[in-house]
Amino acid sequence: MPKQAPSASVRMLHHFFSIACDPSHTMKLRGIAAVFMVMMLAALRGVDAQRSKFHYASSVAMDAAVRYFSAVAWDSKRKECMPWACPQFVFGSDAWFEPLVFVWGDHDYLFASSQRGASLQDASSLVDRPATPYMIVKYLREILQLPSIAMTKGDAERVRRHSFRHWIANCTRVLGFSLSDSFQGGRWKEQGVMPLRYAQEVKFL
């Protein structure tokens, strides 16, 4: 029986943001950290991230508070296109957006693969093909073991790609969203129970 994924936390979101904005890191590390941040903010599943094509970014002339970008993913369950959007200014900065674009480019996937045995912190380039689910989890655990969050190897191994979906459901619960708005948070069908199930008191990391 599959284990429930622990919920991600605001602390984890800020960690991804900090890595993505830090110019002392490689662009590929910053970009991959930015992708995980986008997964949290847009409530994307791993499969959504790997089927997403960039669509639109707000003009720089727009007020920072309302600037955003959008993309379109392919929903394999409903067999239809799924538009999604994400704010560009997070924690008062958009310094993470350039690294995101660096790794995303004109691909229809957010996570590119890496060379065999390579680290996100070395000088090697990403490979022009989508990363496997195994590779995405490897990226996630590598980043979570970096400062400032500096998780232990054991704690990092508990985090799953679906931890981000639990996070958005917990946010809507804590912030007192209506049930209808909670369904919109993760684009769940209103006839279902997912935001209620995911917003249970699960352990945060």
Side-chain angles (χ1 to χ4, degrees), residues 87-135:
Q88 279 184 244
F89 268 75
V90 181
F91 298 117
S93 173
D94 67 347
W96 58 274
F97 189 64
E98 182 183 358
L100 174 71
V101 174
F102 174 81
V103 300
W104 196 357
D106 61 355
H107 299 133
D108 57 1
Y109 52 86
L110 281 161
F111 291 101
S113 189
S114 59
Q115 298 178 30
R116 185 178 180 86
S119 164
L120 291 174
Q121 301 176 73
D122 64 29
S124 64
S125 300
L126 294 172
V127 180
D128 195 22
R129 64 172 180 267
T132 63
Y134 168 82
M135 185 65 68

Side-chain angles (χ1 to χ4, degrees), residues 33-46:
V35 173
F36 285 122
M37 187 175 74
V38 168
M39 285 185 68
M40 292 186 70
L41 293 172
L44 297 179
R45 301 171 301 166

Side-chain angles (χ1 to χ4, degrees), residues 166-185:
H166 286 273
W167 179 75
I168 198 70
N170 273 294
C171 284
T172 58
R173 173 181 57 81
V174 171
L175 294 172
F177 279 41
S178 68
L179 187 57
S180 179
D181 287 342
S182 295
F183 282 103
Q184 292 300 315

Side-chain angles (χ1 to χ4, degrees), residues 6-17 32-46 49 84-87 90-91 110-111 140 144 149 159-169 171 185-188 204-205:
S7 176
S9 64
V10 175
R11 180 69 185 83
M12 192 179 294
L13 177 69
H14 191 268
H15 175 65
F16 293 137
F17 167 81
I32 296 297
V35 173
F36 285 122
M37 187 175 74
V38 168
M39 285 185 68
M40 292 186 70
L41 293 172
L44 297 179
R45 301 171 301 166
W84 57 268
C86 181
V90 181
F91 298 117
L110 281 161
F111 291 101
L140 176 60
L144 289 177
I149 203 167
V159 184
R160 298 175 177 84
R161 292 176 300 161
H162 228 59
S163 294
F164 305 145
R165 296 280 281 178
H166 286 273
W167 179 75
I168 198 70
C171 284
R187 294 175 297 277
W188 291 290
F204 284 88
L205 287 168

